[in-house]
Each structure stands twice: as C-alpha cells, then as structure tokens.
Amino acid sequence: MTPLRRLRTTLAVTFCAALAAAASVLCPVAADASQTTVHNADPSVIRVGGTYISAESSGGGIAVREASSTAALGSATARKVWSDTAGRGEVWAPEIVVDGGRYYIYFTAGTGAAHRMYVISSASADSGYGAATKLALPDDKWAIDGSLFTFNGQRWFVWSGWAGDTNVEQNLYLARMSSPTTPTGARYIISQPRESWERVVGNPYINEAPAAIKDPNGQLHIVYSANGSWSDQYCMADLRLRAGGDPTYVWDWYKSNGCLFGSHAATMMSGWDPTLYVNGPGSHSFVLLNGDIATSPPAGPTFPLMFTAVPKGTAYSWSNRYWFTGSFCWWGSTTYTRANVPGATSDTGWGLKFFE
C-alpha cells in the first residue's frame, strides 16, 4: 500500500466512524483497494464457509476459482467447468450462487440480438456441471447479466435487457422464479437509463450488471452499472425499494441521484466523491455468504466488494479491465428524489458509499 493510499484509507475509516452515531452510518473497516491478477471483467464472488469462490468467462466457457481470501483468487487455479460446445457465441458475466446446497451459475451466451440467459448447476463448486439450460425468461428478449436472489421468501431473477428486438437501451427487469431454473409469470421493468448522468455515453444507453443486497432495515437494493462499459464514464448507482414496497411496481423503486461509485465528479451524487486510483468502476459483486442477500451485513460488520475497473494512467479499454477489491459502508439518512412520476417525490433510507 502506498503512503497516500494508506492515509486515504485511514482517513476514510476515521471519518466514517466519527459520523456513525450522528448520521446513522454503518462503516466497516475500509480495506485497501487492490488490483487482482484476474485480467477480466464481471467478477462474481461468494463465500462458502471459509472459502471464496469466483466464476468468470474464460475461452468460450466458464471457469471457477477457489481461495482462502478474495486477494488470493488471482493466484488460484482457474478450473474450466463448462465449455460452449454448441457454438452459442459470446459467453458473458457468469454469476454463481448457492440454492438448496447446490451451485448454480447463470450466464449470458449468444451473438448480437440472440444473447439470452442460461444456467448450469452442480453439487460441487468447481466440477460436475451438466449441460446448459436456457432460462425461459418472459417475453424471450435480449438478456444479459442475470442473477438469482431470494427476498421475503420469494426467489427473483434480475437482469439487463431490451424492451423489444432492437438495441435502443438496456433496462433492468425482474421476474419471479418458482425454482432456481424456472421463471414464472411476467417480467417487470424496474429501471430505465433516463437520467442525465446515466446518459453521458449512449448508443445504447445502459442499465446493467444488477446485484441485490439488503440494507440494515431489511429493504431491498439493486446496485447496477450505468453508461457504457466501453467508456470510463461507467459507474455504479443504486435502486432502493421503498419500505413495504412491491418489487414489481416500478414506482416503488427510488434511484440514487447520480453515481455512487465512479470516476467523474460531474456524474456523482452530491456528497459522493469520484475515484482516485481507478477509472470506470462497475459490474461488481457483493461477496456474501453463499451469495445469499439474507447474509447482507447488519450494523457494523464488513465484507469484501469486488468490481471491474481500469487502473488510472492506463488507457481505458475492455482489454485493460481487471478485478479489484474494495469496501463499502451503509450511509444513513440518504434521500433519493424524483419528479413527474407517481408516488412520493422523495424517499429517505440507507444508501451506500464505496471505497477503493
């Protein structure tokens, strides 16, 4: 750790702790931001017991790593667990979870408008996966970056997709799941990239890489990436479901008024600072026990955050993306506002602050 980074980390922890009582802030001990040796995008990392397990796209397939810490994942063996022998095309953003003691990896495969979500499963994290099954998502439209979570006893699947058959914008959708592999009912839109700060880079405009987490009040958050991943304007923002809200009703979701983790001051929510060491942070993974949002941190504890970014001083491109470790804290009394839509114009609750 450089002296400047050590100072910044110390100041962040001290500042967070000093405000905790007055501002209802939950602050974990901030970890130093570390670039791993995983030269890839879209980290998915969970903890099972004392083992950290990751999934990543690799050579037209999916690889899994296991290590005793997030920092050690980069040096762990990447074991190929599935290959696209059917020639589906690009394999993107695998997401690993545990459900009922079984491992499931959800991923995107396809080319062009044919990208769809698939799933493989196994009793073991790094072997034994069977053939891929296409998820029968409602409306069967272009879909990427999907992941499974359970909230209030109901399984849900969240993903980024198109409303129709053309590449106009990527929205976030939810659907109920009757099992880890079976969607049921309709799809529900919960976010569109319609705010000025998430329309800096377009063609198409982007909401993608959604990840669920529960705050200390038990409210659901979907933290996602906005703006194109081909630009250093890529950033992370928050959707917070209002207390007692219906996840399928778009106006029960309140969106942060800017990026909460990004590298450009102009797009950051007021009171949130841009990054110092990386450009374009996004496509993240909350490292939860079994990947289960029921294990989201309550008041006090901390856990690692994994995200994709490009080191500052390096040309921004997809080929220069790495996995990074960072940290976050819950930030209390955070108000998200909106206008010209049904429902209350503001909602106050827990937000998130991210640290490199």
Side-chain angles (χ1 to χ4, degrees):
M1 186 189 306
T2 65
L4 177 59
R5 185 172 293 177
R6 184 181 296 110
L7 175 61
R8 181 175 180 270
T9 299
T10 302
L11 289 174
V13 175
T14 304
F15 175 69
C16 224
L19 288 180
S24 301
V25 179
L26 294 184
C27 295
V29 176
D32 174 41
S34 300
Q35 177 181 327
T36 73
T37 56
V38 180
H39 192 173
N40 211 333
D42 308 319
S44 175
V45 184
I46 63 175
R47 180 172 65 85
V48 178
T51 302
Y52 292 84
I53 302 169
S54 69
E56 63 190 279
S57 57
S58 174
I62 296 169
V64 168
R65 301 171 190 252
E66 294 183 293
S68 58
S69 68
T70 55
L73 284 170
S75 58
T77 300
R79 296 184 177 90
K80 197 79 166 285
V81 299
W82 179 83
S83 295
D84 181 19
T85 58
R88 294 176 180 86
E90 298 157 331
V91 177
W92 292 346
E95 289 283 332
I96 187 168
V97 301
V98 178
D99 189 294
R102 191 169 180 85
Y103 292 88
Y104 294 86
I105 300 178
Y106 302 88
F107 63 95
T108 306
T111 57
H115 284 90
R116 295 296 188 273
M117 292 302 310
Y118 294 82
V119 61
I120 55 177
S121 70
S122 175
S124 301
D126 65 349
S127 64
Y129 288 88
T133 299
K134 179 184 173 184
L135 285 184
L137 293 175
D139 299 332
D140 191 26
K141 302 299 183 183
W142 187 92
I144 68 168
D145 294 355
S147 63
L148 180 81
F149 67 93
T150 299
F151 178 66
N152 288 346
Q154 170 66 57
R155 290 187 183 94
W156 297 91
F157 196 75
V158 60
W159 73 97
S160 175
W162 298 350
D165 297 317
T166 56
N167 190 10
V168 177
E169 63 181 5
Q170 290 176 218
N171 307 316
L172 299 184
Y173 294 93
L174 275 180
R176 291 183 175 89
M177 301 285 283
S178 60
S179 76
T181 59
T182 309
T184 183
R187 67 171 178 167
Y188 300 93
I189 194 166
I190 61 171
S191 181
Q192 294 173 278
R194 299 295 176 82
E195 302 300 321
S196 60
W197 52 268
E198 55 186 354
R199 294 172 69 88
V200 178
V201 175
N203 192 27
Y205 296 113
I206 300 289
N207 280 181
E208 66 182 14
I213 192 167
K214 282 202 307 186
D215 71 25
N217 288 340
Q219 287 175 240
L220 179 62
H221 294 245
I222 302 289
V223 177
Y224 68 96
S225 298
N227 292 306
S229 62
W230 57 90
S231 162
D232 65 4
Q233 293 283 353
Y234 205 47
C235 70
M236 287 161 48
D238 181 35
L239 290 173
R240 181 178 63 221
L241 185 68
R242 71 170 182 84
D246 177 359
T248 69
Y249 182 54
V250 64
W251 303 123
D252 277 353
W253 290 92
Y254 285 77
K255 183 178 291 191
S256 57
N257 297 114
C259 305
L260 301 186
F261 198 33
S263 51
H264 289 267
T267 58
M268 301 298 291
M269 182 166 162
S270 178
W272 272 250
D273 297 320
T275 52
L276 294 178
Y277 307 109
V278 301
N279 283 326
S283 192
H284 70 293
S285 181
F286 291 116
V287 185
L288 302 176
L289 182 62
N290 297 326
D292 183 358
I293 70 167
T295 68
S296 297
T302 184
F303 64 95
L305 171 80
M306 303 291 292
F307 60 95
T308 304
V310 173
K312 281 192 182 292
T314 301
Y316 193 92
S317 69
W318 280 348
S319 62
N320 285 333
R321 293 179 296 180
Y322 286 84
W323 290 6
F324 284 79
T325 61
S327 60
F328 89 99
C329 70
W330 290 111
W331 200 259
S333 301
T334 301
T335 300
Y336 299 160
T337 61
R338 63 191 189 186
N340 303 318
V341 298
T345 58
S346 67
D347 181 81
T348 299
W350 291 102
L352 305 100
K353 284 210 174 185
F354 297 95
F355 302 97
E356 296 171 88

